Amino acid sequence: MHGSQKSLLLKEKFMAEIARDPAFYLADVYDLSKDEIRERTMEKFASLVHYVTSEPLDVFNYRMQLISTVDPGFWTRFGVHFGLFLGAIRSGASPAQFNYWIEKGVIGLNGVIGCFGMTELAHGSNVAGVETTATFDEQTDEFIIHTPHLGATKWWIGGAASTATHCAVFAQLIVKGKKCGVKTFIVQLRDVKTFQLKPGVNIGDIGKKMGRDGIDNGYIQFTYVRVPRAHMLMKHTQVSREGIVTDPPLAQLTYGALLSGRIAMVADSSNTAKKALTIALRYAAVRRQFAAGKNQLETQLIDYPIHQRRLIPYMAQAIAIGFTSLILTKMYNELTEAMETLEPGDPNLKDVLEKLKETHSTSAGLKVRPLNKHSAHGHAWRQSTSAGRVVVDTVTQHTPDFPTCMQTLQYNAHGKSGRALVSSWADAQKGKPLAPGVAYMSEKANLTAKSDGKLDLADIDRAWACVAANVVKKAAADFASHAASGISKAEAMEMCSQSRFIAAKLHTIGYIFRMFRQACNEQEEGPEKQVLTDICRLYGLWQIEEQGASFLKYGYFTGEQMDKVQSEVDGLCLALRKVVIPVVDAFAISDHIINSPLGRYDGDVYTAYFNHVRAANPPTKEHPYFDRLIKPLLERKPLEEEDVDAAMGFSEELAELEKERKASKS
Amino acid sequence: MHGSQKSLLLKEKFMAEIARDPAFYLADVYDLSKDEIRERTMEKFASLVHYVTSEPLDVFNYRMQLISTVDPGFWTRFGVHFGLFLGAIRSGASPAQFNYWIEKGVIGLNGVIGCFGMTELAHGSNVAGVETTATFDEQTDEFIIHTPHLGATKWWIGGAASTATHCAVFAQLIVKGKKCGVKTFIVQLRDVKTFQLKPGVNIGDIGKKMGRDGIDNGYIQFTYVRVPRAHMLMKHTQVSREGIVTDPPLAQLTYGALLSGRIAMVADSSNTAKKALTIALRYAAVRRQFAAGKNQLETQLIDYPIHQRRLIPYMAQAIAIGFTSLILTKMYNELTEAMETLEPGDPNLKDVLEKLKETHSTSAGLKVRPLNKHSAHGHAWRQSTSAGRVVVDTVTQHTPDFPTCMQTLQYNAHGKSGRALVSSWADAQKGKPLAPGVAYMSEKANLTAKSDGKLDLADIDRAWACVAANVVKKAAADFASHAASGISKAEAMEMCSQSRFIAAKLHTIGYIFRMFRQACNEQEEGPEKQVLTDICRLYGLWQIEEQGASFLKYGYFTGEQMDKVQSEVDGLCLALRKVVIPVVDAFAISDHIINSPLGRYDGDVYTAYFNHVRAANPPTKEHPYFDRLIKPLLERKPLEEEDVDAAMGFSEELAELEKERKASKS
């Protein structure tokens, strides 16, 4: 699950460093105020920036994956500079510009801490709709960055409120009075020595968010702020001294900055789920509830079939997504390397674009397979038990670069994926070769496949290929029939969005299952392989249950076979119950990082929990409001008779109200 | 939707009072610390207690329904006394005891603020497993209340940390050395004048919770605390002066205290959903995102079919649960009245017990139909937009009296409901008459019903009766086959828990649909009735989609008919889009109570939002940590060469680690 033994050893080294680092003191984090959390978050910068400049990038990224499960808020705040701001420069700057920023010290935060100015108050991630303007002034060879109205205020900008000195600003390029599309401009926000705002820059704090309180989200308004022409990132579109605009030959390559974040989120959703499940499963093995008979010990929660059902399939899902993330990260690293060396006319161009398309659509689909159910004991609602915090941070996590929350997130992400699938389907019909992730569409036999009743990995794999092919076919047919009715293609795409959504969902689950199966097959023979195979079967069969309608509708399984699927899932949960504790131990998350007394490795939960609660809430010497609020309440006299009468007479008031109401209507 | 015009007027009166009450000043609530929220919550006691003593109970309960959507934390803290503590006395005290507490002033909080001491650190809501002891001392005619070990500490007791003077303690009754089961004892915790803890009582604060921070949750340990014999509630079991224990003739009637809370939660989940949907739908009608063509206005979110899908069915669900709650509340009121006058041997006893069973199992099922998806724009993650807070408070809401969170909550609640259904099925097979809520089980024809393809209310109703009958039948069959295998009945019940869970889920949805349909039929003819009928159809059909597998498996719909269901849902969303704003306006929730700039009635969201954020976050004169943390970072020197070399040499460290690892294993 860790990719290699070396990776696991590295992770253990990171965990040991974190446990000893005073910046990562975690005992009191659940009781800090927003301001305290923000300051604590900033303290971690100094201890981490050292590694950015000294470690190879993949080692550092791996470290950050771990950091994300320890402190998602810090990960985001740090990631705004290293992921988004630096990512914007990496993907958007010309080689000379890139060198300029590197030499200036952007990697080591020397003189530059960046933020990412994409979203606006009235515009989420619709980059093309951004209304901030960047008008080229030929006379001075500068761009004038300006916020034309309130709705164009840069909004929810992480790091802007009190950290950043610079911002990668997305703005409408205007040259010679003509709009030339949205480009990226590096704008200095604050003086590096004094932290005073630069003239024309107005920044405010947005305050509290739900979860990830360590991020100082702010808003930014620009009033005719001038930056040199060289501060527009010009790898793609270029503006010459004379105001001549040259458009890029490879428009598809321009929005790379968000892709790495999306890939990181897949790893993060698996790691975060593993942390939550370690707590939930260890606790379920300790907690007892209800006795089977008189004078018997109460039953451990994990021995209840229904509790197994609520946890073990999610454990399987976390593992499945973990393997998928390992594979995706590899794909992404290869892709980045290929993109950085690519020139127009390169013979590998087509191949890279195919890969980009697949990585894009797969990661979009995966980003929305969150921890959709969270499991932990009621105690977990106390923040200090950590699982509760995991929920809030994770839900927040899956929304940062999207305009609307959960629901529309699915619209965007699954929507994108759904579009790509419909287009792959059309390619398949024309006999074009498909990328491996969607190759199942080329096999006509998949559409009418039937189960052989074995419910083994091969049978499950065919099942997913069958329903994925059918739902993609339906989405394509719905699109075609809407398009034939005379509306525009864009409208037809919207009208079939529910079918596209279903297609993207089933395609993504099937993809995750396939990656998991591949990882199983690559294991050495032995008892571990058997356990992993059981977990893989559980994931595939449980998701078949969850998405049961499609398997019945397209006839891959009969109703009786679906009953067998249900009892297999029951049986696998029962069988895996014996190994869940070793399995979560194999997630290798230290007690320090779990930071929950209920998820302790040694199982001594109640004493630890009680001592933790007592230490976190020392008795106060004086009651904060007894004299002012409680005492008068306890000693107040009963109501006088006439008060009661007045209160009972509300029917008169009602008549009055109704009269007013009628009067206001007429 | 409000039951009657009088109710709506009352609600408007309540809203006007709340908007003017300084205790309900809401502008800054999202930025308060835990301690501030708790104190603010306590301030509301004084302004509300007045109504408890002066208003008829049903009027006051209706007021509390509204209060719950304004401030769920307060509702819970206030409800601990009036719902749980007072409920325990009402359902457990003998008439003489009841009078004693009333005269003492328990209704008006005069000298008594109660809390509810059921759960223990190592025991959730498994009342029978409680380990606190209450040992009868014949010599002094007292009970000795004692916490025998850490795991028996009363835990998560709302109001204990800094509000309550008394506690309804659940403890094992021990008389003459013999355990006599868990009973309830009223124990004084603090002196009413000084608020000092009584001797032997040890109370601590548990600190922060996720959501509902206004509640002061605490733990309580008793060390040989003596209470008079009369402080055991003796409506059911009685202990005489001589230590003779008399058991109750009607054991089923003992646990009434939680039932009223459960009923209130049904109303609350509808009201809370209505508040969240008002915000989400109004905002979706304002927010624009992505233009359909060049130089066009961007499209309103609500005009995207996929966004309609993510909101309008949930609106239908909130309305469906609202009507169900009106009906259930009426059932509950009749039941309470019947129970209070009931004596052993009463000819109405059987009838009341049947009603109790139905109310119990239906409310258990309904309690777990939460707002399972939440919808609001990304901005909503800022706490001040309210919808985010709604999510956290609501998730917390659905867990208070249950031992484990979401998942096991379903286990408990759906589990209970599932048991009752299996037993009703057995009754049906024996030809016994069934309560109206489960009467569909008596009709054999339901099992093999087929759709007539109309997809109207009658067709949908039959569809739910068909699948509900089939899944209950399957659960009963699974139970029988497990029981036949030689394991105990209790174990067989556990082994079929997944089937029971499915049965309870489908039964509950069908029940909600039936209640909604009944409410539609009772409307006067007119355009409103047409809209309501469309909403009712949407709810029924959308849930058929969501639970599609069962409809296909039991053959009520064909695959093609299921496609038609999908396009009907699309069509209904599109048709209802025109009326969603009037519909949420009809929820009649004032801007003050919505307390979100994005959910404003007038739609002027951006200006209001910006002004609100700016007012809540005034500029600070000095940066809190620039000099200490940011400046050194910006000005630090790049790493020395040798530092980098050392950092790169991590492979040596890894080798070291591996050596240690091997050593520790051997």
Side-chain angles (χ1 to χ4, degrees), chain B residues 470-485:
Chain B
N470 274 293
V471 291
V472 172
K473 183 185 170 194
K474 176 165 168 28
D478 282 4
F479 170 68
S481 91
H482 283 295
S485 75

Side-chain angles (χ1 to χ4, degrees), chain A residues 1 23 81 88 108 136 149 157 186 253 266 269 369 390 489 497 533 541 549 563 566 579-580 624:
Chain A
M1 290 189 289
H81 175 88
F136 184 53
H149 62 85
I157 309 302
I186 306 297
L253 300 181
V266 179
S269 89
R369 302 278 327 144
V390 169
K489 277 199 171 184
S497 52
T533 304
L541 290 171
D563 281 345
Q566 185 189 324
V579 296
V580 288

Side-chain angles (χ1 to χ4, degrees), chain B residues 352-368:
Chain B
V352 171
L353 286 180
E354 265 307 308
K355 263 196 191 154
L356 182 65
K357 194 168 145 188
E358 189 185 341
T359 316
H360 234 292
S361 72
T362 308
S363 65
L366 280 164
K367 181 164 177 271
V368 297

Side-chain angles (χ1 to χ4, degrees), chain B residues 353-362 415-444 468-469 471-477 479 493 500 503-504 507 511 514:
Chain B
L353 286 180
E354 265 307 308
K355 263 196 191 154
L356 182 65
K357 194 168 145 188
E358 189 185 341
T359 316
H360 234 292
S361 72
T362 308
K416 271 179 204 159
S417 180
R419 270 168 220 262
L421 293 173
V422 169
S423 115
S424 297
W425 180 260
D427 289 350
Q429 300 318 299
K430 292 175 202 148
K432 288 192 190 169
L434 298 181
V438 290
Y440 64 86
M441 295 184 201
S442 305
E443 297 268 350
K444 285 247 161 63
V471 291
V472 172
K473 183 185 170 194
K474 176 165 168 28
F479 170 68
M493 261 301 170
R500 278 195 290 121
H507 163 79
Y511 184 89
R514 223 153 47 238

Side-chain angles (χ1 to χ4, degrees), chain B residues 516-568:
Chain B
F516 193 2
R517 188 186 174 203
Q518 181 185 322
C520 278
N521 288 341
E522 285 166 6
Q523 295 302 306
E524 283 170 40
E525 292 300 327
E528 290 88 352
K529 180 170 185 166
Q530 190 49 49
V531 168
L532 209 60
T533 305
D534 282 349
I535 296 175
C536 184
R537 278 187 71 217
L538 174 61
Y539 175 69
L541 290 171
W542 165 65
Q543 280 295 317
I544 286 170
E545 257 191 314
E546 295 279 306
Q547 309 297 333
S550 297
F551 294 86
L552 286 161
K553 193 172 154 206
Y554 298 111
Y556 189 85
F557 289 118
T558 64
E560 275 152 46
Q561 285 171 331
M562 286 301 290
D563 282 344
K564 208 182 147 203
V565 169
Q566 186 188 323
S567 57
E568 276 299 291

